[in-house]
Amino acid sequence: MATIAFIGLGNMGGPMAANLVKGGHNVVGFDLEPAHLAAARSAGVTAAASAVEAVREADVIVTMLPAGKHVLSVWSEVLPAARRDALAIDSSTIDVASAKQAHELAARHGLASLDAPVSGGVGGAKGATLTFMCGGAERAFERAEPLLSLMGRKVVHCGAAGAGQAAKICNNMILGISMIAVSEAFVLGEKLGLSHQALFDVASTSSGQCWSLTTYCPVPGPVPTSPANNGYAPGFAAALMLKDLKLSQEAAAATGATTPLGAQAAALYESFAAAGFEGKDFSGIVEFLRGR
Ligand code: NAD
């Protein structure tokens, strides 16, 4: 049994920490939001009075926070108080540059570290079916893998520091673009008098097949479990898709990569969010496109 400090017990972190408890570990948690800390306590997490208190005895430190600035601030605060043999893992989705800075901070304090963002959403966090994409040294990955496997179904070592965030950003750029592509096809199909089911039946078994169509179909009907059948309740909120697309565009600008469709997807999700739909599932973009 390991002692694990878990900082950031929100929509994702709360259920992830609960799965570590279920796996038989001693989890000491902290969150600035008292209600989130209380919910984690009822799932068996020991509540700490501060992030620093949470990490003092920890073998492993996990952070699940909103953005890069939160991760760098928390890591700067807690790493000086952590054990030298502790492993620090950040599972938040953050920019690659901040992820690399976090690794440098850990190295300065003599700690091993891993960036390990996730895909799979709140459902995956609750059901322990997340995919972890990891960046960092082989040894750090080997130490982390058994713990990450308690919270996820697939754990991939993508490369050196920052490679996990790079994989996450690239994957979600594909997702944002493909959701818009599928939505545009349904909107065009409607204008051409094609039923949703007919287009689905053809495209889902043809070269247009993709996850945005077959698992997360943006129109109601063909895939009964998709958010389209539930008024576009998230799921994966448009605000989070916009965050990830912006990260992809920052990374493209920093590296000189050409991503014109990524840029267009970011601009469309920006308009969708600005029109008041940031809390809707990202597949609701089909309604926005239909209305334009
Ligand atoms: P959330 O807002 O529900 O949780 C973040 C938590 O961090 C909050 O409880 C907040 O109080 C806490 N927090 C912020 N600053 C803190 C600090 N200094 N010390 C302690 N706690 C602090 O967000 P979430 O949906 O759980 O997402 C967390 C991360 O996971 C984000 O980076 C997000 O992009 C990523 N992610 C989310 C999803 C999803 O579907 N929600 C899917 C994949 C990845």
Side-chain angles (χ1 to χ4, degrees):
M1 180 178 82
T3 293
I4 303 166
F6 207 115
I7 300 164
L9 299 161
N11 291 325
M12 295 292 288
M16 289 165 72
N19 283 327
L20 290 173
V21 172
K22 280 186 207 152
H25 295 290
N26 172 32
V27 182
V28 185
F30 179 70
D31 195 293
L32 291 177
E33 176 59 58
H36 294 173
L37 197 53
R41 198 191 283 121
S42 64
V45 171
T46 303
S50 69
V52 167
E53 189 191 299
V55 306
R56 281 196 201 288
E57 305 299 323
D59 303 296
V60 178
I61 300 162
V62 183
T63 48
M64 193 55 173
L65 297 162
K69 64 180 182 197
H70 306 94
V71 174
L72 289 175
S73 150
V74 167
W75 279 38
S76 305
E77 186 191 346
V78 303
L79 295 187
R83 281 175 23 198
R84 292 306 85 171
D85 61 349
L87 167 66
I89 303 172
D90 177 48
S91 282
S92 328
T93 301
I94 67 173
D95 59 289
V96 176
S98 295
K100 288 183 177 168
Q101 276 182 53
H103 280 278
E104 283 161 18
L105 259 177
R108 220 174 294 148
H109 291 284
L111 270 73
S113 56
L114 205 65
D115 55 291
V118 301
S119 157
V122 176
K126 287 183 178 159
T129 58
L130 295 168
T131 294
F132 283 87
M133 28 214 130
C134 305
E138 184 67 40
R139 178 80 194 99
F141 176 74
E142 283 167 5
R143 278 177 71 187
E145 196 178 14
L147 288 181
L148 301 182
S149 297
L150 293 172
M151 300 182 279
R153 195 157 47 193
K154 187 147 179 77
V155 184
V156 183
H157 190 197
C158 299
Q165 296 295 352
K168 168 79 185 174
I169 289 167
C170 290
N171 178 72
N172 279 22
M173 188 174 77
I174 298 173
L175 178 62
I177 293 169
S178 70
M179 182 54 77
I180 292 167
V182 170
S183 297
E184 286 187 1
F186 275 111
V187 170
L188 176 61
E190 288 164 8
K191 294 277 187 205
L192 294 170
L194 201 55
S195 76
H196 291 161
Q197 192 63 49
L199 177 56
F200 179 86
D201 288 346
V202 171
S204 64
T205 53
S206 301
S207 44
Q209 189 275 332
C210 64
W211 187 91
S212 292
L213 176 69
T214 55
T215 303
Y216 220 77
C217 188
V219 293
V223 179
T225 50
S226 78
N229 301 282
N230 188 25
Y232 299 99
F236 185 51
L240 287 175
M241 174 48 82
L242 177 59
K243 172 192 166 182
D244 293 355
L245 285 168
K246 281 183 172 169
L247 290 177
S248 78
Q249 293 314 291
E250 281 170 33
T255 56
T258 307
T259 59
L261 288 180
Q264 188 60 37
L268 276 170
Y269 273 102
E270 181 100 63
S271 306
F272 183 50
F277 299 111
E278 71 267 25
K280 286 275 181 193
D281 188 80
F282 82 112
S283 61
I285 193 114
V286 68
E287 299 209 312
F288 184 68
L289 293 168
R290 195 184 282 125
R292 274 160 81 100

